[in-house]
Amino acid sequence: MGNKLNGKLAAEKIREEIKKFTDDLKAQGKMLPRLLSIQVGDDKGSEFYINNQKKLSEQLGIDFVSENYPDSITEEELIKNIHKANDNNSIHGIIIQLPLPKSMDLNNVLSAISYKKDVDGQSEINISKLYKDEKSFSPLYCGERFNPC
């Protein structure tokens, strides 16, 4: 039988490593990792998650940016904004808050995120890599050391 994983202990260890990494970057005058959280509409549950993302990012020394678009934004406009974030070298991770408006195709929106910045691992490429047991993007943690992608 396998060993039990203590999730709380593992999460704390990862948090400590991230904090040390960001402290080292800051001491060297280097750019800190930046997380972009995108919300469409005003779902209260999403707002709760965004607030928690912001608090944890601050604790870990990660820059946090959120964008909130009205329900009236089109899928095409949202995807265009995601592509801009993909091309922005100062943004290292992107997360889309769910739910999205019913007028949007969830797969299209999630797949617009570069697999290199897909914090939730929900893009088609990252899901495929997970299924195939291939190495894929892991937010901030690349290989055996932290590396803002």
Side-chain angles (χ1 to χ4, degrees):
M1 182 176 255
N3 295 329
K4 289 184 179 181
L5 174 66
N6 183 331
K8 186 175 181 178
L9 184 63
E12 187 57 37
K13 183 176 182 336
I14 291 170
R15 286 185 186 114
E16 288 172 6
E17 291 176 18
I18 293 171
K19 181 66 174 140
K20 182 184 181 322
F21 174 73
T22 58
D23 286 347
D24 290 347
L25 286 177
K26 191 173 184 178
Q28 297 170 31
K30 294 184 179 179
M31 181 185 342
L32 295 174
R34 178 170 290 141
L35 173 63
L36 169 63
S37 181
I38 298 174
Q39 178 183 7
V40 179
D42 60 359
D43 181 77
K44 298 302 176 198
S46 292
E47 291 173 13
F48 174 80
Y49 284 111
I50 291 169
N51 286 332
N52 284 339
Q53 291 167 1
K54 182 178 180 182
K55 287 177 190 173
L56 183 57
S57 293
E58 289 171 355
Q59 291 171 4
L60 298 178
I62 296 170
D63 287 338
F64 181 81
V65 180
S66 63
E67 295 177 357
N68 187 312
Y69 299 102
D71 283 329
S72 59
I73 191 171
T74 66
E75 181 178 323
E76 293 75 22
E77 290 173 307
L78 179 60
I79 288 173
K80 182 178 175 184
N81 290 333
I82 292 169
H83 284 252
K84 286 180 186 176
N86 287 337
D87 295 338
N88 184 336
N89 291 333
S90 72
I91 296 174
H92 304 99
I94 302 170
I95 185 168
I96 304 288
Q97 299 303 311
L98 302 178
L100 290 172
K102 293 182 187 209
S103 62
M104 294 188 183
D105 183 311
L106 178 63
N107 290 327
N108 285 344
V109 172
L110 294 178
S111 292
I113 303 170
S114 167
Y115 74 96
K116 294 178 181 179
K117 296 185 178 190
D118 178 19
V119 171
D120 273 344
Q122 294 189 38
S123 69
E124 289 179 6
I125 291 173
N126 281 333
I127 289 172
S128 175
K129 287 178 176 281
L130 176 67
Y131 181 75
K132 294 176 185 177
D133 198 26
E134 294 177 358
K135 186 176 181 179
S136 62
F137 173 71
S138 176
L140 303 179
Y141 193 73
C142 301
E144 293 186 12
R145 57 184 284 263
F146 291 97
N147 179 16
C149 302

